[in-house]
Amino acid sequence: MHVSQILSTKGTDVHSIAPTGTVAELAAELNSRRVGALIVKDSSGAVVGIVSERDVVRGLASDASVVNAAVESIMTKDVVSIDPDFEVADLTRLMTEKRIRHVPVIDNGGVLVGLVSIGDVVKVRMDELETERAALMEYITQGG
Ligand code: AMP
C-alpha cells in the first residue's frame, strides 16, 4: 500500500505555524487541533521545519521561559519527508530508525500534500491484521 492511499481517506490538510510564532501559541495550536506536530512554514509558504510536542517538552525541561521564545528556536530544521508513492510498510522502519512519529508527504512538484503520523500507520496495520484474521476464520470454519 502506498502512502497516497492513507491520504485519500485522511485528507491532505496539514496544519502549520510560522517560525516566529511563540511556543505558547504552538502549544495552544497542538491542543486545539488535537495533533502532535505542526509543519513550520515561512511567510512565502516554504517548509522550514517541523515541530512536535516532544520539542515543547524538551524546551520546557531545559528552560520554562521557552514558552515566550519563537518556534524556530525549538523546531527541527532537517525535515525527513516522503513522496506519495512511499510504501506504508517501509514507513514503520523509517519512523523507528529516525525516532520520529510524523512524516510530511511532498509530491515530485515539491508540493506538501499531507502528513502521516504513527497513528495512521498503526491503523493501516490493524486493518490488515483484521482482514487476515477474518480470512483465516473463514478458511477454518468453512474449509477454504
Ligand atoms: P515526534 O516523535 O514526531 O514527536 O518527534 C520527535 C523529534 O523528531 C522532535 O524533535 C521533532 O521535531 C522531530 N521530528 C518529527 N518529525 C520529523 C520529521 N518528519 N523530520 C525531521 N524531524 C522530525
Side-chain angles (χ1 to χ4, degrees), residues 7-22:
L7 299 181
S8 66
T9 45
K10 177 183 180 170
T12 56
D13 262 8
V14 183
H15 306 305
S16 63
I17 191 163
T20 49
T22 66

Side-chain angles (χ1 to χ4, degrees), residues 23 26-27 30-31 34-38 50-60 74 101-102:
V23 173
L26 165 67
L30 290 173
N31 184 45
R34 297 175 186 271
V35 295
L38 295 180
I50 187 164
V51 67
S52 85
E53 51 203 4
R54 172 74 57 206
D55 300 309
V56 177
V57 170
R58 195 183 295 138
L60 282 175
I74 64 162
R101 291 169 296 178
H102 304 88

